[in-house]
Amino acid sequence: MGKKGKKEKKGRGAEKTAAKMEKKVSKRSRKEEEDLEALIAHFQTLDAKRTQIVETPCPPPSPRLNASLSVHPEKDELILFGGEYFNGQKTFLYNELYVYNIRKDAWTKVDIPSPPPRRCAHQAVVVPQGGGQLWVFGGEFASPSGEQFYHYKDLWVLHLATKSWEQVKSTGGPSGRSGHRMVAWKRQLILFGGFHESTRDYIYYNDVYAFNLDTFTWSKLSPSGTGPTPRSGCQMSVTPQGGIVIYGGYSKQRVKKDVDKGTRHSDMFLLKPEDGREDKWVWTRMNPSGVKPTPRSGFSVAMAPNHQTLFFGGVCDEEEEESLAGEFFNDLYFYDATRNRWFEGQLKGPKSEKKKRRRGRREEPEGGSKLACGGAGTQAPVEVVKEVVTEDGTVVTIKQVLSAPGSAGQPQSEDEDSLEEAGSPTPGPCPRSNAMLAVKHGVLYVYGGMFEAGDRQVTLSDLHCLDLHRMEAWKALVEMDPETQEWLEETDSEEDSEEVEGAEGGDEDEDEDSGEESGAED
């Protein structure tokens, strides 16, 4: 009893500390957000000039990260909304809506009256009712100077059948935040975690909210058991058994004045209704088996066939006193909730390549790429290194880790092709963080994201797809040459930054930890 009392006291103490921190952050950020509200209102005034729906065939969208890519429930379409782009001096925030027609391989820009304000690092969830609805919550806006942030706490729904936006106002919902995660569970939206940042302070969340899609009301859940610590940018997915899995994520804490320490989480938890009751939930710690992803942040998640969760890319930042270097990934993992097991996704290689390999296995690869492979007969991954010289003379090195040929194809399969039958590795999306993923008809689509090359941030606009049933090779639908990426060096003058442009927000080029934050929290 005494131990239980101590635990309860400790829990109450942690709650009080969190409440104090939230109040402190809220007070300091209130004025910042008031300043930004005027800028957001200005953009909304521009958006209000739209009076009718205009659909325009267009080239692929411009480079961006931290957008949302969603699958239309009835049509062979992908829906891209929002996002951000940093060119070295300014960050541009978007509220554009693009539709990608999978069968026609064509993009359409859809201008709809009264859309949500510009944002990134929001969450978007599709539900099938009413011809399909896209629900959007929260996200982030930044000032042109990049020193002030506004975290939304608004909820919107895009009615796909009528192509109309609607803001749904309901009290008792989550506080403003970005980097949170949200899933559809039965007739509810379940939201977890995220973070809120002001100029000097920040706070991470581990709270859970439910939005009822029938009554349009929010409720805060209070699950029993020990759940995840506060974090953002985690994996959140619904299991076939009706539970919700939380894995990984990122958080940071202040270790001393102006010094923050980041944590890449690699723990997993299950949130499920207790005794089948939807008003009572419980947390359980999970210990999955199999080959788990290495600890990282900025990874992307989608639901794969057979109710498996697909995990792609991310970044592992190495913090040093004066610098922050990141290793970016383009590997695939699958989590099978039914078996509570991780699988590494590895490509078999296309069949045509297998025949070619048998005829002349000793052929050397052509082209300017430098290859460094594992020893003969091993299943080591292949690393492709490409060096691109940009217009200003900067050398951008792109490292791409390719799955070993001849490995298991689909994660659920126990069969393995021998190296003798394997094809040459097929390049796919380069390593990146904060990419957008979607799966339709068993095909994975990967769009955009970013990687860093020295002090440069390269924001991507390429689109790749992979048949998850065959697991043979990536196919490039939209390619991008990093040489064409605009990059402006920082200037001492801030005059240009104050100019308000159509989609301009603010930049996230803060201090040495900023690369980790932008790639981790969102």
Side-chain angles (χ1 to χ4, degrees):
M1 188 171 178
K3 284 184 180 177
K4 186 180 177 185
K6 274 187 181 178
K7 271 189 178 180
E8 287 177 351
K9 277 187 178 179
K10 189 176 179 182
R12 285 197 295 269
E15 285 175 11
K16 283 182 181 177
T17 303
K20 281 182 183 176
M21 176 60 76
E22 186 163 4
K23 192 173 180 182
K24 186 179 176 185
V25 172
S26 177
K27 189 175 180 182
R28 285 180 174 173
S29 65
R30 197 175 297 129
K31 186 179 186 308
E32 293 178 17
E33 299 201 337
E34 284 173 0
D35 293 341
L36 289 179
E37 280 172 0
L39 185 54
I40 293 168
H42 167 76
F43 288 135
Q44 285 185 293
T45 301
L46 297 177
D47 291 334
K49 293 178 181 178
R50 302 178 193 171
T51 57
Q52 58 185 0
I53 301 167
V54 179
E55 299 184 48
T56 311
C58 64
S62 59
R64 64 193 64 199
L65 67 150
N66 290 327
S68 57
L69 186 65
S70 309
V71 173
H72 196 296
E74 297 181 357
K75 300 179 181 179
D76 290 334
E77 294 178 346
L78 305 180
I79 304 160
L80 181 72
F81 173 72
E84 62 175 314
Y85 166 65
F86 180 53
N87 69 359
Q89 291 182 358
K90 302 175 187 176
T91 289
F92 298 84
L93 296 169
Y94 305 109
N95 63 347
E96 300 166 327
L97 186 75
Y98 289 94
V99 173
Y100 176 67
N101 187 303
I102 294 171
R103 291 186 185 276
K104 295 180 181 178
D105 186 23
W107 289 92
T108 302
K109 187 172 185 288
V110 185
D111 291 314
I112 299 174
S114 305
R118 291 155 171 75
R119 68 189 63 206
C120 65
H122 53 280
Q123 281 289 277
V125 172
V126 169
V127 294
Q129 55 257 36
Q133 298 173 346
L134 177 73
W135 288 84
V136 174
F137 178 83
E140 180 178 312
F141 182 83
S143 65
S145 67
E147 295 178 355
Q148 296 174 311
F149 302 92
Y150 185 94
H151 296 269
Y152 295 102
K153 58 179 179 180
D154 52 353
L155 179 67
W156 294 76
V157 58
L158 173 63
H159 300 280
L160 299 176
T162 58
K163 294 185 174 66
S164 59
W165 282 107
E166 176 191 355
Q167 184 175 4
V168 178
K169 296 183 179 179
S170 177
T171 58
S175 56
R177 63 188 66 194
S178 56
H180 50 288
R181 293 295 177 258
M182 186 170 74
V183 295
W185 184 86
K186 295 186 177 180
R187 295 285 298 160
Q188 299 183 76
L189 302 176
I190 308 294
L191 184 146
F192 169 81
F195 76 103
H196 184 288
E197 182 178 23
S198 65
T199 305
R200 291 188 291 171
D201 294 302
Y202 53 82
I203 183 170
Y204 287 81
Y205 300 105
N206 63 346
D207 46 6
V208 186
Y209 285 84
F211 181 78
N212 189 301
L213 292 168
D214 294 318
T215 62
F216 281 21
T217 54
W218 283 105
S219 59
K220 185 175 183 180
L221 306 182
S222 300
S224 59
T226 303
T229 55
R231 63 192 64 191
S232 68
C234 61
Q235 168 189 318
M236 185 179 190
S237 55
V238 179
T239 71
Q241 298 80 20
I244 296 172
V245 167
I246 300 290
Y247 170 76
Y250 173 83
S251 65
K252 65 180 180 180
Q253 59 184 4
R254 190 144 294 164
V255 291
K256 57 184 179 180
K257 189 177 180 182
D258 299 327
V259 178
D260 300 319
K261 181 175 175 56
T263 299
R264 296 181 298 274
H265 300 280
S266 57
D267 47 3
M268 181 178 277
F269 295 84
L270 177 68
L271 177 66
K272 64 179 182 180
E274 196 169 1
D275 302 324
R277 295 171 50 185
E278 293 187 16
D279 62 337
K280 197 173 182 184
W281 295 70
V282 59
W283 284 113
T284 307
R285 179 75 180 260
M286 299 184 73
N287 293 297
S289 60
V291 182
K292 292 191 287 189
T294 55
R296 66 189 70 183
S297 56
F299 53 80
S300 305
V301 172
M303 290 306 297
N306 302 320
H307 302 286
Q308 295 179 336
T309 304
L310 185 150
F311 176 109
F312 171 80
V315 60
C316 179
D317 288 309
E318 296 299 328
E319 297 180 51
E320 297 178 8
E321 284 188 15
E322 298 298 327
S323 65
L324 183 69
E327 179 185 0
F328 289 79
F329 301 97
N330 63 346
D331 47 1
L332 279 174
Y333 289 87
F334 295 83
Y335 172 69
D336 187 332
T338 304
R339 300 163 68 181
N340 190 27
R341 185 178 180 86
W342 282 101
F343 296 88
E344 188 174 6
Q346 297 178 327
L347 305 188
K348 295 176 180 178
K351 290 179 182 178
S352 59
E353 289 293 327
K354 291 179 184 178
K355 292 177 183 176
K356 184 178 177 182
R357 182 69 177 265
R358 284 199 295 271
R359 286 199 303 269
R361 288 201 307 264
R362 294 186 180 276
E363 272 188 57
E364 291 295 325
E366 296 180 1
S369 298
K370 304 171 189 175
L371 298 178
C373 307
T378 69
Q379 295 294 313
V382 179
E383 185 177 87
V384 179
V385 181
K386 296 181 181 179
E387 290 187 350
V388 178
V389 181
T390 58
E391 291 180 1
D392 64 359
T394 304
V395 178
V396 178
T397 303
I398 303 175
K399 289 185 180 180
Q400 181 172 0
V401 180
L402 301 172
S403 301
S407 301
Q410 297 186 47
Q412 62 268 26
S413 171
E414 300 295 334
D415 299 329
E416 289 189 359
D417 290 338
S418 67
L419 187 63
E420 190 76 21
E421 295 292 314
S424 302
T426 303
C430 68
R432 66 192 65 197
S433 69
N434 304 81
M436 285 61 74
L437 303 192
V439 175
K440 182 74 173 179
H441 298 317
V443 177
L444 166 66
Y445 295 86
V446 176
Y447 171 76
M450 61 82 78
F451 67 88
E452 292 167 350
D455 293 331
R456 295 175 58 116
Q457 174 179 307
V458 180
T459 307
L460 300 163
S461 60
D462 51 353
L463 177 65
H464 295 260
C465 69
L466 174 67
D467 188 323
L468 297 173
H469 295 296
R470 298 187 179 192
M471 289 293 288
E472 289 180 353
W474 286 98
K475 179 182 178 182
L477 299 171
V478 177
E479 296 187 88
M480 175 190 171
D481 184 355
E483 277 191 89
T484 64
Q485 179 80 78
E486 176 191 48
W487 185 257
L488 304 176
E489 296 299 329
E490 284 185 286
T491 60
D492 294 331
S493 172
E494 297 297 327
E495 290 175 5
D496 293 339
S497 300
E498 299 305 318
E499 186 181 343
V500 176
E501 297 177 3
E504 183 180 320
D507 72 272
E508 297 201 359
D509 186 29
E510 300 172 296
D511 49 29
E512 291 164 358
D513 277 346
S514 64
E516 185 170 18
E517 289 173 32
S518 64
E521 300 173 328
D522 302 332

